[in-house]
C-alpha cells in the first residue's frame, strides 16, 4: 500500500499501475467465468472490447464481488494458472486467490508482492554453458502448502490438445495415436547395443506432462502426503555416508518440506528414485500413492511413449531434428573431462547444490516437436518399464502400447535421449546419478474423461 508521505505524482503513478493490473485480473477472471457459465453477451464484450469497465454491472464478477462464491477449488487453480500467464514476471500461487478473494484485493496483492516473488523461478536458473541466454515461459506448477484439489483435467480454451491438471497445476499435451519407430538402427554410428533393433510400435493417444516435476511441486507432494521415514528413504533420501547427500535439494523444517535456500523451486526434482517418481505420479492422478512399489498401475510413460514424445513420429536424432546439438538447444555438460573412462562423473560431487548446471523446467530447451520441454539434456527421466538389455529383441516390444512389464524390484528403465553422443552422458551427469531422475506422468484418453491405463 502507498505510504501517506508519498508525493502526489508517485500516488498517481501507483494508482495507474493498480488500475492496469485490475483491468488484466478482471479480464482474465471474467472471461473464465463467462466461458464456464456460458454467458455469451459478457464474453463477447470481454473478448472484443480492448478496454472495458471492470465496474460494469453486466459482468459476472465486479471488483468487490467474492470470487469464491462463483468458483470452486478446481476453478481457482485454473484461474491462478491463467493469471500466471498474464503476469509472467510474478509467481502467482492459487493461495493468493484464496487469501484475496476479490478482483480488487487480488490486484492489490499482485502489486504488493515482494521483489523476492518476482521472476523468482528464473532469476537463479543456471546453465552448463556460460553465455547462453535462457528463454522461459510462465512457471505454473503449484508449490508451497495448502489443500489439494480433486484430480481433473481441463482443456485450455481454443487448444484441444492442451490440458491442465488440477492437483499440481501441471500442463499436459495430448499426443495423437501413431505408428512410431522406436530405438536406433544397429547401423547407426551413435546406437548403443541396448537401443536396437529399431522397431515400430502402435501407440494410442496419451497425455504427456509438458515439463518435468519441479522441486517446489515435489516438496508440496511430501507435505500433503506425509510419508514415513522408510518411505522417504525409498523416495528421495540417502544414507548419511552417501557423498550425494550434499545435493539432496529439499529440507525438512518447522513449516514442512521446503526447497533449500538459494535453489530455484522451478528446478527439476533430482535424486528421486523410481519409487519416488511413481508415488508422485499416482498421487497427482488422485490414486493411492502407497502403491508406489509396483508398475502394474502407473502413470509414468512407457519407454515407447517417451521416445515418441521426444522426437515425434519421424526417426530423428534429436527432438529438434538432425541438426547438431548446440548450447542454445539443450543443457548438457560439454566438458567430457569431468568423466572417467566409464562415463562416470568425477568432479560432480564437489559442486555446491545451488551451483549445479541445471535449468528450470520452464526453460525452452530440449523442446520436442510436440512442444514438450526438457526432452533432451538437463536430467534423466523415469519410465514405467522394467529395464532389460534385450527387450527390443522380444516380440512383446512390438505389441500395441508395448512396455516391459517384468517386475524386478528397484530397477526400472530410465529414458535416454534419442541419438547423439553428448546428450545421454550429460543427462546422467546433470541428474547426479544415472538411476535417479525426475518423473513425468501420462495417462490415456477414453471418452470425455482421462483415465489411467
Amino acid at each position: 500500500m502507498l505510504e501517506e508521505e508519498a508525493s502526489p505524482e508517485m500516488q498517481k503513478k501507483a494508482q495507474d499501475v493498480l488500475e492496469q493490473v485490475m483491468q488484466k485480473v478482471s479480464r482474465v477472471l471474467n472471461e473464465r467465468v463467462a466461458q464456464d457459465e456460458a454467458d455469451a453477451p459478457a464474453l463477447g464484450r470481454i473478448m472484443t472490447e480492448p478496454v472495458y469497465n471492470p465496474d460494469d454491472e453486466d459482468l459476472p464478477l465486479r471488483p468487490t464481488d467474492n470470487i469464491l462464491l462463483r468458483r470452486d477449488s478446481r476453478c481457482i487453480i485454473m484461474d491462478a494458472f491463467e493469471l500466471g500467464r498474464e503476469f509472467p514476471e510474478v509467481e502467482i500461487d492459487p493461495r493468493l486467490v484464496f487469501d484475496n478473494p476479490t478482483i480488487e484485493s487480488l490486484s492489490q496483492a499482485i502489486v504488493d508482492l515482494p521483489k523476492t516473488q518476482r521472476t523468482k523461478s528464473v532469476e537463479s536458473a543456471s546453465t552448463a554453458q556460460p553465455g547462453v541466454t535462457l528463454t522461459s515461459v510462465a512457471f505454473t506448477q503449484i508449490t508451497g502448502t495448502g489443500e489439494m484439489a480433486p484430480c481433473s483435467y481441463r482443456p485450455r480454451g481454443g487448444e484441444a490438445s492442451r490440458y491442465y491438471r488440477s492437483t499440481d497445476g501441471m500442463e499436459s499435451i495430448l499426443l495423437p495415436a501413431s505408428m512410431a519407430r522406436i530405438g536406433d538402427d544397429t547401423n547407426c554410428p551413435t546406437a548403443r547395443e541396448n537401443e536396437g533393433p529399431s522397431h515400430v510400435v502402435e501407440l494410442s493417444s496419451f497425455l504427456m506432462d509438458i515439463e518435468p516435476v519441479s522441486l517446489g511441486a515435489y516438496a508440496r507432494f511430501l507435505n500433503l502426503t506425509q510419508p514415513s521415514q522408510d518411505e522417504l528413504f525409498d523416495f528421495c533420501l540417502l544414507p548419511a555416508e552417501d557423498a550425494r547427500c550434499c545435493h539432496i535439494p529439499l529440507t525438512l523444517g518447522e513449516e514442512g518440506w521446503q526447497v533449500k535456500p538459494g535453489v530455484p523451486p522451478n528446478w527439476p526434482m533430482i535424486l528421486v528414485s523410481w519409487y519416488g517418481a511413481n508415488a508422485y505420479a499416482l498421487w497427482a492422478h488422485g490414486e493411492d500413492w502407497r502403491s508406489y512399489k509396483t508398475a502394474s498401475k502407473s502413470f509414468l510413460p512407457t519407454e515407447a511413449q517417451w521416445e515418441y514424445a521426444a522426437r515425434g513420429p519421424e526417426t530423428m536424432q534429436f527432438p529438434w531434428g538432425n541438426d547438431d546439438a548446440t548450447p542454445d538447444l539443450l543443457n548438457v555438460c560439454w566438458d567430457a573431462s569431468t568423466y572417467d573412462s566409464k562415463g562416470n562423473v568425477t568432479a560432480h560431487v564437489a559442486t555446491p547444490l545451488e551451483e549445479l548446471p541445471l535449468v528450470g523446467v520452464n526453460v525452452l530447451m530440449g523442446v520436442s516437436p510436440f512442444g514438450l520441454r526438457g526432452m533432451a539434456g538437463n536430467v534423466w527421466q523415469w519410465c514405467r518399464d522394467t529395464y532389460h538389455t534385450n527387450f527390443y529383441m522380444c516380440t512383446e516390444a512390438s505389441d500395441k502400447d508395448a512396455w516391459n512389464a517384468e517386475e524386478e524390484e528397484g530397477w526400472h528403465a530410465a529414458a535416454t535421449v534419442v541419438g547423439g553422443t553428448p546428450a545421454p552422458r550429460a543427462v546422467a551427469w546433470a541428474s547426479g546419478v544415472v538411476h535417479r531422475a525426475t518423473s513425468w506422468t501420462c495417462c490415456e484418453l477414453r471418452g470425455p474423461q482421462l483415465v489411467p491405463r
Side-chain angles (χ1 to χ4, degrees):
M1 299 294 290
L2 285 174
E3 297 182 1
E4 292 183 1
E5 61 269 20
S7 67
E9 293 79 10
M10 291 296 294
Q11 293 184 33
K12 178 62 167 61
K13 183 176 180 180
Q15 185 62 36
D16 290 343
V17 170
L18 178 59
E19 289 179 359
Q20 292 173 12
V21 171
M22 189 180 299
Q23 180 77 217
K24 291 182 179 181
V25 171
S26 178
R27 183 177 293 277
V28 168
L29 294 180
N30 275 297
E31 179 181 339
R32 291 185 54 77
V33 173
Q35 286 178 334
D36 291 346
E37 298 181 359
D39 188 343
L43 185 60
R45 285 197 301 277
I46 296 167
M47 298 295 289
T48 58
E49 296 181 15
V51 178
Y52 72 100
N53 179 14
D55 288 306
D56 186 345
E57 294 183 358
D58 293 327
L59 289 174
L61 286 174
R62 299 179 66 188
T64 57
D65 290 345
N66 191 331
I67 299 169
L68 304 183
L69 296 179
R70 304 287 289 272
R71 314 291 285 164
D72 59 22
S73 297
R74 175 181 59 82
C75 292
I76 292 295
I77 291 174
M78 298 302 103
D79 294 344
F81 182 93
E82 289 298 334
L83 288 168
R85 295 172 63 86
E86 185 67 38
F87 299 96
E89 76 283 3
V90 180
E91 186 175 310
I92 296 181
D93 188 280
R95 178 53 54 187
L96 193 68
V97 184
F98 286 113
D99 292 342
N100 303 275
T102 69
I103 291 174
E104 192 173 70
S105 62
L106 179 59
S107 300
Q108 187 67 64
I110 292 174
V111 171
D112 291 342
L113 280 175
K115 184 178 179 181
T116 54
Q117 288 184 252
R118 296 177 179 272
T119 60
K120 180 180 179 181
S121 62
V122 296
E123 65 184 3
S124 300
S126 63
T127 177
Q129 188 70 8
V132 174
T133 300
L134 301 178
T135 302
S136 304
V137 296
F139 177 55
T140 61
Q141 295 182 42
I142 304 173
T143 62
T145 55
E147 297 179 358
M148 176 178 168
C151 179
S152 64
Y153 279 85
R154 181 190 183 95
R156 192 171 83 183
E159 296 188 55
S161 65
R162 295 201 174 210
Y163 293 79
Y164 301 137
R165 189 164 60 234
S166 59
T167 51
D168 58 358
M170 179 70 76
E171 182 178 354
S172 301
I173 294 182
L174 181 64
L175 275 60
S178 177
M179 299 297 294
R181 179 160 291 279
I182 304 302
D184 271 345
D185 293 314
T186 54
N187 60 352
C188 177
T190 62
R192 298 178 178 180
E193 188 174 338
N194 62 352
E195 293 176 354
S198 175
H199 57 286
V200 174
V201 177
E202 180 182 355
L203 294 175
S204 305
S205 61
F206 63 98
L207 279 177
M208 190 77 163
D209 286 2
I210 199 168
E211 62 195 15
V213 173
S214 67
L215 298 180
Y218 203 87
R220 176 172 173 265
F221 157 66
L222 296 181
N223 287 327
L224 292 177
T225 56
Q226 295 291 309
S228 68
Q229 187 77 0
D230 288 342
E231 289 165 340
L232 286 169
F233 272 97
D234 279 346
F235 293 176
C236 55
L237 298 186
L238 297 168
E241 63 273 13
D242 194 312
R244 295 167 298 168
C245 281
C246 63
H247 289 153
I248 293 177
L250 306 179
T251 182
L252 182 60
E254 293 181 359
E255 298 181 359
W257 288 96
Q258 301 174 0
V259 180
K260 286 183 176 178
V263 180
N266 69 320
W267 269 10
M269 179 61 187
I270 60 172
L271 288 176
V272 59
S273 71
W274 186 92
Y275 289 155
N278 197 39
Y280 183 97
L282 289 166
W283 167 82
H285 287 84
E287 299 292 337
D288 185 1
W289 59 271
R290 295 175 182 84
S291 302
Y292 63 85
K293 287 192 175 182
T294 176
S296 58
K297 186 174 187 178
S298 175
F299 293 90
L300 298 176
T302 66
E303 256 192 294
Q305 287 174 329
W306 194 97
E307 186 168 329
Y308 168 57
R311 68 180 180 185
E314 302 297 327
T315 304
M316 300 189 299
Q317 191 173 20
F318 294 104
W320 54 83
N322 293 318
D323 294 339
D324 290 341
T326 57
D328 61 320
L329 290 173
L330 80 168
N331 182 49
V332 299
C333 175
W334 299 91
D335 183 6
S337 66
T338 58
Y339 291 87
D340 61 21
S341 60
K342 297 181 180 180
N344 298 317
V345 177
T346 56
H348 165 69
V349 174
T351 304
L353 169 63
E354 62 273 16
E355 295 179 15
L356 287 180
L358 296 173
V359 297
V361 297
N362 55 324
V363 172
L364 294 176
M365 281 188 161
V367 180
S368 82
F370 297 109
L372 303 166
R373 298 185 282 275
M375 299 304 283
N378 219 23
V379 290
W380 285 67
Q381 297 164 20
W382 286 113
C383 289
R384 183 182 185 183
D385 302 57
T386 300
Y387 174 74
H388 195 288
T389 55
N390 297 323
F391 177 64
Y392 283 2
M393 297 181 182
C394 303
T395 57
E396 292 86 348
S398 296
D399 289 345
K400 182 178 180 180
D401 297 321
W403 68 289
N404 184 10
E406 180 184 4
E407 290 281 356
E408 291 184 17
E409 186 171 338
W411 290 96
H412 293 265
T416 55
V417 172
V418 179
T421 300
R425 284 199 302 184
V427 172
W429 176 76
S431 69
V433 59
V434 172
H435 63 277
R436 291 176 182 267
T438 61
S439 68
W440 283 63
T441 53
C442 70
C443 59
E444 191 175 85
L445 179 62
R446 292 181 181 163
Q449 298 294 324
L450 295 161
V451 297
R453 293 183 53 82

